[in-house]
Amino acid sequence: MCPGCGALQLPEPKWKTFWLISTSAPLLTPSVQEKSKTISLARTPLSGVVVQRRSKGRSYRQSFRSCLGAASKLGLTPRLTARRLNTSRKAPKSHDIKEKVDAEHLALLVKTEWKLSYVTPLHRFRHTQLKSYARQLSAFIAAEKQQGLAVEVEGLQNSFKVSFSVVQGMADTDDDPETVFIQIHSKETSEPQKSLWCGLLTCINANPEYLRSLPKDFTCLPLFGSKGAEGLSALVKSWLQTSFDCCFGPLEINQTSLQWLAALWTNCHAESNIQHLKMLWSLPVEPPLQVTYTVNPNDAWALWSSVRKDAPEEEAGCIDIEEVTRFIQGLKSHFYRHFRLDLSAGVLKQVSTALGSAKSDGRIKISSSRYVTTTLTLLTECALLKMPI
């Protein structure tokens, strides 16, 4: 610990891969950086801590209509939950789902960048009716195309096929509804079916008390991921909203969640080499400056281990937000000692390791099947907290 400021200090490590990259300028070196404008070193406070969601007495159908009105007004609704992420969560363990999840479904899920949204509980959604839903969505898209509303969507000038499928083996608790994949394929006869769009509805390790409080006609699959043309995403969301009285909204991954992912993935290094810890920071200067900060995995692990060594033995299986904060602060302090640049003045925009990557605009890629559950648990929590009251 630094006797003057109390910040965690590391021995001079072997970290060599630090780069400063500007969105509007060529690669910067420390000497060029010194000629740039002075950057404010005012620290931005970290996000607050969690309080539990209060249970809802009214049915979701009534509360949605009363506070949101039409589904199209969701984007204008300021009534978002004020709750925060959990302050403590289980340390991730290697949990390979290859043995439980179909290989085709796993191939779709892993190593694919998903654009995330949240979705409110689905009214009268039935996992047993997926074939019927596929026919209804196909007819809906065809009708929109016939009316000229979908003619610019790539691939829809040809015939297409819609499929819904349950992803068996993804649920981590008895309360979790099974994950659902939605796919739209081209039906060209001269070649194998080509995937035009893919969607994912999932709920992993959601608060069981919250799930049980829902009326029986509602199914909670709060995390929605899409891959493919935005036009098709809009059509699928429109059909889901009309069919199941639900609402969608963008799911950004805030700075606190990105810090959690950096810590959780680093914690996996002993079992699965993370290969690197890369973070992208945006600093409020003119011209805008982005800093890509890449840390040797062994150095990241050494820092994380030093943060965790003081954890009580009975809490060794859990990670606390204070440990995450100390870990990130240690990384910032090391960067400041080398470049005299305080990353606390900026915003964390992206985190990536060999296990996955996450961006603040709501894009996520899970690169290892062994930690799918860990990542989707955090994202499910983010989706539930973002939903309107």
Side-chain angles (χ1 to χ4, degrees), residues 7-120:
L8 181 65
Q9 285 190 331
L10 296 173
E12 286 303 317
K14 307 178 286 297
W15 303 0
K16 298 179 180 179
T17 49
F18 306 120
W19 305 92
L20 298 181
I21 302 175
S22 171
T23 55
S24 57
L27 184 68
L28 296 176
T29 64
S31 60
V32 174
Q33 176 200 355
E34 293 172 359
K35 299 178 183 179
S36 63
K37 292 180 64 177
T38 301
I39 299 174
S40 170
L41 300 182
R43 295 181 180 274
T44 53
L46 293 172
S47 298
V49 296
V50 69
V51 293
Q52 293 183 343
R53 295 181 66 92
R54 65 174 181 267
S55 60
K56 300 175 177 59
R58 296 189 301 170
S59 78
Y60 264 91
R61 193 179 187 88
Q62 292 173 338
S63 62
F64 290 159
R65 288 177 172 173
S66 63
C67 76
L68 297 180
S72 61
K73 297 180 181 179
L74 176 64
L76 304 178
T77 302
R79 298 184 181 185
L80 300 179
T81 59
R83 288 111 184 121
R84 305 296 176 90
L85 287 171
N86 285 332
T87 57
S88 179
R89 60 186 72 247
K90 292 181 179 179
K93 298 292 183 182
S94 177
H95 179 63
D96 203 333
I97 60 176
K98 287 182 179 179
E99 298 179 359
K100 300 190 299 180
V101 177
D102 180 78
E104 182 180 350
H105 287 153
L106 193 60
L108 287 171
L109 178 65
V110 177
K111 298 182 179 179
T112 294
E113 185 175 73
W114 296 95
K115 175 63 177 176
L116 301 180
S117 302
Y118 69 83
V119 55
T120 55

Side-chain angles (χ1 to χ4, degrees), residues 38-234:
T38 301
I39 299 174
S40 170
L41 300 182
R43 295 181 180 274
T44 53
L46 293 172
S47 298
V49 296
V50 69
V51 293
Q52 293 183 343
R53 295 181 66 92
R54 65 174 181 267
S55 60
K56 300 175 177 59
R58 296 189 301 170
S59 78
Y60 264 91
R61 193 179 187 88
Q62 292 173 338
S63 62
F64 290 159
R65 288 177 172 173
S66 63
C67 76
L68 297 180
S72 61
K73 297 180 181 179
L74 176 64
L76 304 178
T77 302
R79 298 184 181 185
L80 300 179
T81 59
R83 288 111 184 121
R84 305 296 176 90
L85 287 171
N86 285 332
T87 57
S88 179
R89 60 186 72 247
K90 292 181 179 179
K93 298 292 183 182
S94 177
H95 179 63
D96 203 333
I97 60 176
K98 287 182 179 179
E99 298 179 359
K100 300 190 299 180
V101 177
D102 180 78
E104 182 180 350
H105 287 153
L106 193 60
L108 287 171
L109 178 65
V110 177
K111 298 182 179 179
T112 294
E113 185 175 73
W114 296 95
K115 175 63 177 176
L116 301 180
S117 302
Y118 69 83
V119 55
T120 55
L122 308 173
H123 185 247
R124 293 184 177 176
F125 179 90
R126 301 288 184 267
H127 284 79
T128 55
Q129 300 294 318
L130 298 187
K131 288 186 178 180
S132 174
Y133 298 158
R135 292 192 297 269
Q136 294 173 37
L137 177 56
S138 180
F140 176 81
I141 294 174
E144 295 294 293
K145 174 186 173 185
Q146 192 172 31
Q147 295 176 25
L149 301 178
V151 292
E152 296 182 359
V153 177
E154 182 182 357
L156 284 189
Q157 65 272 23
N158 305 314
S159 57
F160 63 94
K161 175 185 178 182
V162 176
S163 66
F164 280 66
S165 56
V166 174
V167 186
Q168 299 287 352
M170 284 282 290
D172 200 49
T173 70
D174 293 338
D175 292 307
D176 291 340
E178 292 287 1
T179 296
V180 174
F181 265 129
I182 308 171
Q183 295 182 74
I184 301 176
H185 299 279
S186 171
K187 287 177 60 176
E188 287 290 330
T189 56
S190 59
E191 60 183 38
Q193 286 188 351
K194 176 185 176 183
S195 178
L196 301 175
W197 184 90
C198 186
L200 171 74
L201 285 162
T202 191
C203 176
I204 305 297
N205 279 320
N207 186 319
E209 181 182 352
Y210 167 75
L211 294 179
R212 294 166 190 166
S213 72
L214 292 173
K216 64 179 181 179
D217 279 343
F218 286 89
T219 301
C220 186
L221 292 165
L223 183 62
F224 177 80
S226 60
K227 178 191 69 170
E230 287 295 324
L232 280 176
S233 296

